[in-house]
Amino acid sequence: MSELNQAMAARYRNDFLREVEANVEEGHWVRMCMQCGVCAGSCPLGPYWEHPPQEIFMMIRANKREEVLASSSMWMCTSCYNCIVRCPRGLPITHIMHGLAHYAARLGLAPKTQPTRRFAEMFWDNLMKKGRVNELKLGLGLYFMNGFAEGVKTALAKRPIGQAMLRAGRMSPMELVRPHKVKDIQGLKAMIAKARELEEARTTGGSAG
Amino acid sequence: MAEKRRYSFYPGCSSQKSASSSNYLVSTQAVCESLDIELNEIPDWNCCAASIGYAKGGELPRLALSARNIALSEQAHPDQDIVATCAACWLATRETQERVQADPELRREMEVVLEAGGLKAEFRKPVRHMVEVLVEDVGYEAIREKVTRPLEGIKIAGYVGCQTNRPFGIAGESFENPVYLDKMVEAVGAEPVEHYEKKVQCCGGALMFSEPEKCQAMVKDIIEAAYDGGAEMIVTPCPVCQMNVEIYQDEINKRYGTRFRMPVVYYTTLMAVAFGRSAKEAGLDGQVIRAEKLEQIAGK
Amino acid sequence: MADEKKFGAYICSGCGIGERLDVDALAKIAEREGRMGYVKTHEFLCGGEGVGMIRADLEAGEATHIVIAACSPRAKTEAFRFDGVAVSRANLREGVIWVRPDEEEARETTQEMAEDYVRMACAEIKHLQVPQANPEAALCRTVLVVGGGVTGLTAALEAAEAGYDVVVVEKRGELGGHAARMHRRIPQRAPYRDPEPTGIDELIARVEAHPRITVHLNSHLARTSGAPGRFEAEVAGESGASTTVRAGAIVMATGFTPYDLSRLPHLGAGKSPDVVDQAGLEALAREAGDGPIRRPSDGKEVRSVVFVQCAGQRSDEEGQLPYCSGHCCLTSIKQAMYFKDRDPAIDATVLYTDLRTPGAPGEDFYRAGQEKGIVFAKGEVREVVPADGGLEVRFKDLILDEDTAARADLVVLATGMIPNSGVDFDPEAVAEEQATVEVPVESILNLTYRQGPDVPKLKDGFADSHFICFPYESRRTGIYLAGPVRRPMDMAQAMEDAAGAALKAIQAIENAAQGRAVHPRVGDLSYPSFRREGCTQCKRCTVECPFGAIDEDEQRYPVFNEARCRRCGTCMGACPVRVISFQNYSVETVGQQLKAVEIPDEFEEKPRVLVLACENDAYPALDMAGMLRREISPFVRVIPVRCLGSVNTIWISDALNSGYDGVMLLGCRKGDNYQCHFVRGSELAHYRMSKIDDTLKSLSLEQERVATYEVSIADIERIPELIREYMETIDRIGLSPFKF
């Protein structure tokens, strides 16, 4: 268990709702859920959620901290925003799910091998290198996500798609050599560092009340 | 002749040369040229983090990415609306803009962040999707007038997908049944599929990479519904939708025993062809599943 | 002069009637068979010229009774209303040409249909009299309000402000009822965020200061007699002394009794003083003033409170209430705010199965509760038990599907409302109610009516009133219901109710003064009378009158209280010797119509089916079917009746005897959720028709020849379909053997 996780668990002892309200993006909306279930019924991957959003909201109020944060549920969000536009109470559900997923990852509670989590982390690392996404590297990284042998298999399986994309001019090996990039990468990185610092100050500096 | 329309353009990572939706950019440029629209690229723009960067990026770093683009646009093109062709780029930028406008605390935080990069921003500009420019600024009538090669006799399913449609959507359209693609299809002389059942169904987005089985099942339904409606091709406004629906058809055919071979094009492709531009200018060479009917028309 | 009847008929050829029908042939029938003094046709009868022509004839004394053969009697009612003249309408437009196809082969049967309707109107008009106002008319501009709670006080003020004198009778020693014991009320003003002062003190002060209002405290009604316009109530005080109050109408606002908490031991009631009901929590909050709310057991400040919704209500358990009391969810939100507004750190949890927040404040107030941090959990409470110096609420979380528990210093049970509705006139119903829930069984009104001392109850002990068509109305004309005595409700709804009931009372007073009927036959001057010589004192009419309008004299003859009568004719339908009639509606007016229909002989293979249709629902639905051009068999003949309750079985046997092949009765929905304007008419008709089998047997006729249906005004498509199906039945069983 990470240090941050221990600190947060101790600070909000027995009041996960308040912890979420204080630390999760748009978390202050959780109390406004009225348990109608429209979100659960609107989610394209609804059947695959361990706990649909409606249930997640109830679990937060019922203090089920570990169960929520370690859940694979939030990682099923495809960001289709269907729940947001349909929620009769106007909860920004997609953002709350993103927020919970991020918070769980920060605390080290998110399921480690969850594929979407891993892809999401790769995506961020990829874009942070040059300031723009390098699709080719991201794709290759993806193939080797589950180890080298598995990666070779996946890469072979995906070869027809890769070749088609190459033919269509929508993929280029040049990306490995001369990738697209942001010129002022230093400036960008300084900004992100500052943003990260402010975000962390919100958590550690924020009061429990 | 109306005055040239000018916009501060945010192309996004996937539109770059040799990237997955480079053909979107090509056709967009052709259409804008025909309609006398000038796109001025935001200098040194960066990635928006799309809808998947949140997991590691978190809230402020993610918003900081868009704040930088907004600041650069304000600096370079102070009087021009920001326009994006990619749904995720548009969404992230507009979300940042609106949240900063609504939340003074967040504005302070973003100001501090920008300062670290030697930038500042007022967060005042409208952030718009290319579809909005075409529908609201240009109008269907003007599009119709530019058509020199109507796409007669082609039935097309307007697949709107998610992020061009939600949470913001195009003004005046419903979330459940937006009709602007159908109107565009009509404007270029083709026939829209009425009651296209999977019009706003999610294609899986970025989860196509992490949860391929689940997402391909959804894409299968999207294509099947288009066939059911008698469509010969699908048109979409979103790079991720385009890619997910087009390039996995062989895998889906293998998995489900289907025989899909449904071209998936951008609305800008349709317009470029109808406006009389060449197949290359319309980005037709970027199709993985070739849109032969359009190639024929463009070749005439 | 007045007794001399002169008949004239007018046939309109407008709206396509002239093109579709042989109007000259209709005129001949009216003249020869209908024996009209004269017959005139006009191509636009409802226009200025047509109506002018009729007026001129009437003024010239050409006719006192006229037939108008044109559109439905429900159309052009203003144009064809001639005061002091009896009018009978033949429905040729909606009833004939609009429900028949415009085709050559349909022409003959369509014409026959029209001819029969002309015959029927001519037969009816012979037996119509111009009604005179009932002789009982009396004016008394006083409203008697029973109950001095927020409902009664509001009704009193509304009536008094409208210029009527009011007498308020309250059984307790002070005014204000439950509202006076409340800490705050659910907000009534936007943004509906915070509980508001009840305002009850101001209301009481206004009532006490009003010059038109007299208040009797510690009093009850020992005896109430009379009718609208002339009620007399004996108001008995504590000392036994009594005063007589005269009133034109009565508003019954006797409120509710909270469900007895001690019946819920599984929810901790009686096991710990820290389990209270909502009234108990109001008392604790009042006691606390601006300070912290303390629990009863040891005076410790409450730091956690759990509200249990639907405690002993919405339940099918014996001894509990089956219904929802409507206000309790909002009340619990309000009460949870008592805690949150004092200190947001106090835990307040509402356990519900379905949160219901009706009315204007509903959703906003619920949302405000969530914003203030009240936790709402969908859970079914199993039990509440004392534990570790506090309470433990064990419940099943319905979202997470698991058994769990919450700790609390105080538990508030949201129990239901039991109406103070007096005793039921139906002893069986009382016995049934008592089996499930104890209801107060002391009479409130002590009416001297033949049919019992209080207004009848409907479901679950609430006094009868129709929730959509005519709220406030009881089955006792001139006595109106307001507040939780008629259905569970909160303060705001009760106040709105009070205003409605006060207006109804005023209407009743004014109509009674002119000898006219109230709703639904507003303004009808007719009233029932009976032929004493023929009466067998069987009491059917007094028992079956849905409105308790008929008493009995010492010799057990019926005594009609005309002002209580709603003119439905149920008494007329009930009378086995047919001595009851109205001036404009009688056994004869309908009986002669059905006999006037020409019955083709059996070789013509044209069946005839009589349709008796309720004038409030079935008949308008048939008219609308016509407007939509739905086809209806040319073999049916429709007669509107005031209510199926007024259908006398003689009409059925007359019809079958004269060779009709079947009779359809179209009435309203009966039963607990009745939609019958006259409450029991449809039910009685169904009952009476179920007894007609013997008659059918004695005539060797098939049971199917008489069919009774429940329909609604919206059954525009269904009724033509029912008729079509019925005609198939007749085809199947064959024509009646009683053709001549």
Side-chain angles (χ1 to χ4, degrees):
Chain A
M1 215 188 251
S2 77
E3 246 172 71
L4 181 62
N5 180 38
Q6 281 172 354
M8 298 307 267
R11 184 191 298 170
Y12 294 98
R13 182 175 303 282
N14 238 6
D15 200 343
F16 186 40
L17 176 61
R18 267 200 297 160
E19 181 179 349
V20 167
E21 287 179 340
N23 298 295
V24 171
E25 181 170 357
E26 305 282 6
H28 60 280
W29 278 96
V30 170
R31 58 166 75 180
M32 299 309 290
C33 168
M34 63 175 186
Q35 295 298 314
C36 69
V38 167
C39 50
S42 299
C43 180
L45 289 186
Y48 302 107
W49 289 57
E50 195 181 347
H51 308 288
Q54 169 200 16
E55 221 169 278
I56 293 275
F57 296 143
M58 202 63 233
M59 289 166 78
I60 293 172
R61 296 185 212 170
N63 247 339
K64 296 182 180 292
R65 184 173 187 275
E66 300 274 321
E67 277 176 77
V68 168
L69 294 174
S71 165
S72 71
S73 295
M74 299 83 77
W75 302 97
M76 286 294 151
C77 173
T78 65
S79 308
C80 78
Y81 295 89
N82 217 8
C83 52
I84 282 203
V85 300
R86 288 190 184 165
C87 174
R89 275 297 176 79
L91 269 72
I93 300 169
T94 312
H95 297 291
I96 303 171
M97 292 304 130
H98 290 178
L100 281 169
H102 171 67
Y103 188 59
R106 255 185 87 193
L107 299 188
L109 291 172
K112 296 242 165 0
T113 55
Q114 214 291 329
T116 302
R117 177 192 173 177
R118 298 186 58 188
F119 176 63
E121 288 176 350
M122 280 168 58
F123 186 94
W124 180 261
D125 292 342
N126 180 300
L127 85 87
M128 281 315 295
K129 284 212 173 71
K130 303 283 176 196
R132 292 185 190 175
V133 165
N134 187 320
E135 287 180 343
L136 188 65
K137 281 190 178 168
L138 183 63
L140 291 175
L142 187 70
Y143 298 157
F144 294 95
M145 190 166 83
N146 299 316
F148 184 75
E150 191 69 14
V152 171
K153 238 167 75 187
T154 318
L156 281 173
K158 295 279 176 192
R159 203 168 53 178
I161 291 178
Q163 283 168 344
M165 292 293 274
L166 277 171
R167 267 201 307 277
R170 288 161 60 184
M171 195 158 104
S172 161
M174 284 308 285
E175 276 293 290
L176 291 178
V177 201
R178 270 208 331 262
H180 294 288
K181 59 182 181 188
V182 166
K183 280 184 227 119
D184 184 19
I185 188 70
Q186 288 321 313
L188 176 64
K189 284 189 172 168
M191 280 177 59
I192 300 303
K194 179 55 82 178
R196 175 94 50 217
E197 183 191 317
L198 292 178
E199 182 147 305
E200 271 162 22
R202 275 182 180 183
T203 313
T204 47
S207 83
Chain B
M1 187 78 196
E3 206 185 320
K4 205 174 189 66
R5 294 188 173 89
R6 293 184 169 83
Y7 301 93
S8 181
F9 184 48
Y10 178 29
C13 303
S14 64
S15 275
Q16 300 172 97
K17 190 165 164 33
S18 304
S20 57
S21 71
S22 46
N23 51 338
Y24 189 7
L25 181 63
V26 169
S27 55
T28 299
Q29 281 164 340
V31 166
C32 287
E33 229 172 77
S34 293
L35 292 170
D36 210 17
I37 292 169
E38 184 181 295
L39 297 180
N40 303 306
E41 187 168 327
I42 298 173
D44 206 34
W45 55 267
N46 53 262
C47 175
C48 68
S51 51
I52 193 75
Y54 66 84
K56 194 160 183 186
E59 185 177 0
L60 292 184
R62 184 169 53 83
L63 296 175
L65 288 171
S66 292
R68 179 172 179 274
N69 289 332
I70 292 169
L72 292 171
S73 167
E74 285 183 11
Q75 207 172 66
H77 318 120
D79 304 322
Q80 296 170 15
D81 293 358
I82 297 175
V83 170
T85 40
C86 168
C89 294
W90 173 55
L91 201 60
T93 316
R94 181 163 165 187
E95 184 200 329
T96 304
Q97 187 84 304
E98 291 189 2
R99 281 179 65 177
V100 169
Q101 282 170 358
D103 182 351
E105 174 62 28
L106 183 64
R107 179 185 286 270
R108 269 191 298 280
E109 285 170 324
M110 280 300 123
E111 280 165 358
V112 173
V113 166
L114 284 171
E115 212 186 300
L119 293 168
K120 59 179 193 303
E122 289 177 51
F123 299 99
R124 267 188 303 111
K125 280 197 207 184
V127 179
R128 308 175 65 198
H129 192 279
M130 181 54 79
V131 165
E132 293 180 301
V133 169
L134 293 174
V135 171
E136 292 160 10
D137 299 0
V138 176
Y140 298 108
E141 200 42 54
I143 293 171
R144 200 169 288 128
E145 280 167 15
K146 278 276 178 265
V147 172
T148 57
R149 291 192 300 219
L151 312 183
E152 270 163 3
I154 308 181
K155 201 159 182 187
I156 305 176
Y159 172 53
V160 179
C162 299
Q163 296 190 351
T164 327
N165 188 42
R166 299 180 296 259
F168 299 120
I170 307 301
E173 295 280 6
S174 88
F175 296 128
E176 308 292 340
N177 183 26
V179 295
Y180 61 85
L181 280 182
D182 300 334
K183 287 186 181 166
M184 285 180 177
V185 165
E186 259 172 5
V188 297
E191 189 193 344
V193 170
E194 261 182 77
H195 312 298
Y196 175 37
E197 209 189 307
K198 297 291 174 185
K199 189 184 255 187
V200 295
Q201 161 73 46
C202 178
C203 69
L207 269 65
M208 182 60 91
F209 298 111
S210 49
E211 300 281 359
E213 289 87 1
K214 298 180 180 84
C215 295
Q216 286 183 18
M218 296 194 286
V219 168
K220 173 183 167 275
D221 291 347
I222 292 165
I223 300 169
E224 204 160 63
Y227 275 114
D228 288 349
E232 292 160 80
M233 63 182 73
I234 289 175
V235 61
T236 176
C238 169
V240 177
C241 295
Q242 197 281 334
M243 189 167 74
N244 281 355
V245 178
E246 186 190 33
I247 71 173
Y248 298 102
Q249 289 189 29
D250 280 346
E251 283 194 18
I252 290 169
N253 287 340
K254 258 185 229 138
R255 201 187 297 275
Y256 293 99
T258 48
R259 289 178 173 182
F260 294 155
R261 203 174 160 70
M262 173 72 77
V264 185
V265 303
Y266 295 105
Y267 57 101
T268 43
T269 318
L270 294 183
M271 282 181 197
V273 173
F275 291 172
R277 310 299 293 246
S278 70
K280 197 174 163 53
E281 288 172 315
L284 283 170
D285 54 354
Q287 293 298 126
V288 166
I289 296 174
R290 293 175 56 180
E292 280 151 13
K293 280 223 170 174
L294 294 181
E295 285 178 13
Q296 280 167 21
I297 295 173
K300 271 181 203 162
Chain C
M1 267 301 283
D3 292 345
E4 193 196 346
K5 292 180 177 178
K6 291 168 86 176
F7 301 100
Y10 298 88
I11 304 178
C12 181
S13 60
C15 292
I17 294 174
E19 289 92 74
R20 300 279 308 278
L21 299 170
D22 181 346
V23 171
D24 290 340
L26 295 178
K28 248 177 231 149
I29 283 172
E31 205 169 330
R32 290 189 192 156
E33 296 178 38
R35 301 194 179 280
M36 293 291 107
Y38 62 89
V39 181
K40 294 184 179 181
T41 60
H42 193 279
E43 60 197 13
F44 185 12
L45 194 58
C46 62
E49 195 190 285
V51 172
M53 171 180 80
I54 301 173
R55 284 202 184 286
D57 290 345
L58 295 173
E59 274 160 32
E62 297 290 327
T64 58
H65 288 57
I66 59 170
V67 164
I68 290 175
C71 43
S72 162
R74 298 178 49 82
K76 304 288 169 195
T77 47
E78 284 304 305
F80 295 143
R81 203 185 71 196
F82 306 101
D83 289 337
V85 176
V87 180
S88 178
R89 307 266 306 258
N91 183 355
L92 302 182
R93 192 179 67 173
E94 289 85 342
V96 180
I97 61 166
W98 283 359
V99 293
R100 297 299 304 143
D102 187 6
E103 288 157 12
E104 198 44 46
E105 59 261 42
R107 213 172 164 83
E108 181 187 297
T109 51
T110 306
Q111 176 73 18
E112 285 171 5
M113 217 177 171
E115 288 174 358
D116 273 347
Y117 281 121
V118 170
R119 288 185 187 102
M120 288 155 80
C122 293
E124 183 190 31
I125 195 71
K126 303 273 172 46
H127 298 274
L128 288 184
Q129 285 160 22
V130 180
Q132 313 287 318
N134 95 60
E136 203 195 79
L139 175 63
C140 171
R141 307 185 88 216
T142 300
V143 178
L144 172 61
V145 175
V146 191
V150 70
T151 316
L153 295 176
T154 308
L157 263 182
E158 294 284 350
E161 291 291 307
Y164 292 76
D165 291 326
V166 179
V167 176
V168 178
V169 177
E170 165 57 42
K171 68 178 172 190
R172 295 168 56 101
E174 73 273 335
L175 293 174
H178 292 284
R181 300 188 286 278
M182 264 158 55
H183 176 51
R184 293 274 186 277
R185 64 181 285 190
I186 297 156
Q188 291 311 310
R189 285 192 186 79
Y192 306 113
R193 265 195 73 81
D194 305 303
E196 283 172 3
T198 60
I200 191 71
D201 293 340
E202 295 85 332
L203 189 63
I204 294 171
R206 283 179 67 200
V207 165
E208 284 175 340
H210 206 291
R212 286 193 184 278
I213 304 177
T214 315
V215 176
H216 296 267
L217 293 174
N218 294 313
S219 301
H220 67 277
L221 301 185
R223 187 175 183 278
T224 306
S225 61
R230 56 173 184 85
F231 284 113
E232 251 183 50
E234 223 174 88
V235 177
E238 225 172 3
S239 58
S242 76
T243 339
T244 302
V245 170
R246 289 196 60 235
I250 299 173
V251 172
M252 180 162 159
T254 43
F256 70 99
T257 304
Y259 179 81
D260 180 5
L261 192 63
S262 69
R263 305 182 65 141
L264 302 171
H266 67 291
L267 297 181
K271 292 185 182 159
S272 161
D274 298 333
V275 177
V276 298
D277 63 6
Q278 291 182 324
L281 197 271
E282 293 294 332
L284 291 178
R286 275 169 74 88
E287 219 171 273
D290 292 332
I293 296 172
R294 298 179 182 285
R295 65 181 188 187
S297 58
D298 56 5
K300 175 183 170 291
E301 185 192 344
V302 175
R303 297 302 300 172
S304 58
V305 55
V306 170
F307 294 84
V308 178
Q309 298 309 108
C310 302
Q313 46 177 339
R314 295 180 69 213
S315 156
D316 47 17
E317 305 246 333
E318 193 164 324
Q320 301 191 4
L321 307 177
Y323 51 86
C324 163
S325 291
H327 74 94
C328 345
C329 286
L330 282 170
T331 298
S332 286
I333 294 171
K334 175 193 76 173
Q335 295 186 338
M337 285 186 188
Y338 293 168
F339 295 94
K340 284 288 184 186
D341 289 346
R342 278 174 167 82
D343 179 357
I346 297 174
D347 289 325
T349 305
V350 177
L351 296 177
Y352 67 94
T353 50
D354 303 284
L355 207 77
R356 293 175 171 178
T357 57
E363 269 304 291
D364 289 341
F365 196 49
Y366 174 21
R367 213 177 275 124
Q370 287 179 300
E371 278 162 10
K372 290 179 181 185
I374 300 166
V375 171
F376 293 86
K378 198 170 163 76
E380 219 168 67
V381 177
R382 305 256 196 250
E383 56 177 347
V384 178
V385 290
D388 304 335
L391 294 158
E392 189 175 282
V393 183
R394 296 175 185 159
F395 66 102
K396 179 181 174 137
D397 188 311
L398 294 173
I399 298 294
L400 306 180
D401 194 26
E402 63 180 20
D403 288 313
T404 180
R407 299 259 319 148
D409 294 333
L410 185 75
V411 169
V412 184
L413 304 182
T415 57
M417 289 176 155
I418 297 174
N420 296 330
S421 50
V423 298
D424 204 294
F425 76 128
D426 180 355
E428 267 174 47
V430 173
E432 209 179 294
E433 290 294 346
Q434 275 176 332
T436 53
V437 176
E438 265 171 45
V439 291
V441 285
E442 264 183 29
S443 173
I444 288 168
L445 297 174
N446 284 305
L447 291 168
T448 59
Y449 287 26
R450 156 75 175 78
Q451 291 186 328
D454 281 303
V455 297
K457 297 176 183 186
L458 188 62
K459 255 159 97 173
D460 307 318
F462 289 90
D464 190 4
S465 71
H466 197 280
F467 63 104
I468 295 172
C469 300
F470 8 88
Y472 325 123
E473 279 176 35
S474 72
R475 276 190 235 170
R476 299 293 174 256
T477 310
I479 303 176
Y480 298 92
L481 305 163
V485 69
R486 70 173 192 91
R487 67 168 176 78
M489 60 178 77
D490 67 13
M491 227 173 115
Q493 291 175 341
M495 291 174 85
E496 202 178 293
D497 237 41
L503 283 174
K504 280 284 178 189
I506 289 169
Q507 274 181 359
I509 286 173
E510 296 302 329
N511 275 308
Q514 296 174 58
R516 312 188 328 169
V518 292
H519 37 260
R521 293 189 59 86
V522 184
D524 189 350
L525 289 169
S526 75
Y527 56 90
S529 60
F530 81 113
R531 204 159 38 81
R532 198 178 172 94
E533 315 82 84
C535 175
T536 60
Q537 299 128 296
C538 74
K539 302 196 292 182
R540 287 262 194 90
C541 55
T542 56
V543 170
E544 293 194 356
C545 172
F547 304 107
I550 316 172
D551 291 327
E552 283 151 24
D553 67 12
E554 302 79 38
Q555 292 163 282
R556 312 180 80 180
Y557 281 110
V559 178
F560 288 94
N561 294 273
E562 288 86 355
R564 291 188 208 158
C565 172
R566 301 282 248 297
R567 280 76 169 171
C568 60
T570 297
C571 50
M572 182 174 114
C575 182
V577 289
R578 297 173 298 282
V579 295
I580 300 174
S581 63
F582 295 76
Q583 288 147 315
N584 53 4
Y585 187 59
S586 65
V587 170
E588 288 294 290
T589 61
V590 175
Q592 292 302 326
Q593 281 187 72
L594 69 92
K595 285 179 192 162
V597 168
E598 216 171 66
I599 307 289
D601 64 40
E602 55 185 315
F603 306 108
E604 285 189 58
E605 294 187 347
K606 287 176 179 167
R608 287 290 178 264
V609 168
L610 176 66
V611 176
L612 297 171
C614 156
E615 68 177 11
N616 289 300
D617 278 64
Y619 200 76
L622 276 163
D623 271 359
M624 287 187 275
M627 291 171 202
L628 296 174
R629 305 297 194 274
R630 294 293 177 268
E631 193 175 323
I632 286 176
S633 163
F635 304 132
V636 299
R637 301 292 179 263
V638 184
I639 300 177
V641 294
R642 288 186 178 180
C643 174
L644 276 202
S646 71
V647 172
N648 193 295
T649 48
I650 189 75
W651 295 341
I652 315 297
S653 41
D654 277 358
L656 296 171
N657 268 318
S658 34
Y660 279 89
D661 302 285
V663 181
M664 293 177 80
L665 283 81
L666 306 181
C668 302
R669 194 202 297 157
K670 58 184 171 55
D672 273 355
N673 293 314
Y674 69 86
Q675 291 271 327
C676 175
H677 284 64
F678 296 111
V679 187
R680 294 176 65 211
S682 183
E683 192 172 312
L684 286 167
H686 276 79
Y687 176 73
R688 290 179 200 149
M689 293 309 134
S690 73
K691 299 280 168 200
I692 216 165
D693 283 0
D694 290 343
T695 316
L696 291 169
K697 267 189 207 130
S698 71
L699 293 169
S700 313
L701 286 172
E702 297 80 358
Q703 221 178 306
E704 292 96 322
R705 300 238 182 242
V706 180
T708 314
Y709 299 90
E710 292 178 46
V711 300
S712 86
I713 197 164
D715 284 339
I716 301 161
E717 306 285 348
R718 183 173 159 245
I719 295 177
E721 189 57 20
L722 290 177
I723 292 176
R724 199 187 55 72
E725 283 168 13
Y726 190 70
M727 296 314 292
E728 281 175 11
T729 305
I730 296 297
D731 267 359
R732 184 167 48 79
I733 61 176
L735 294 183
S736 160
F738 286 86
K739 309 261 185 196
F740 297 104

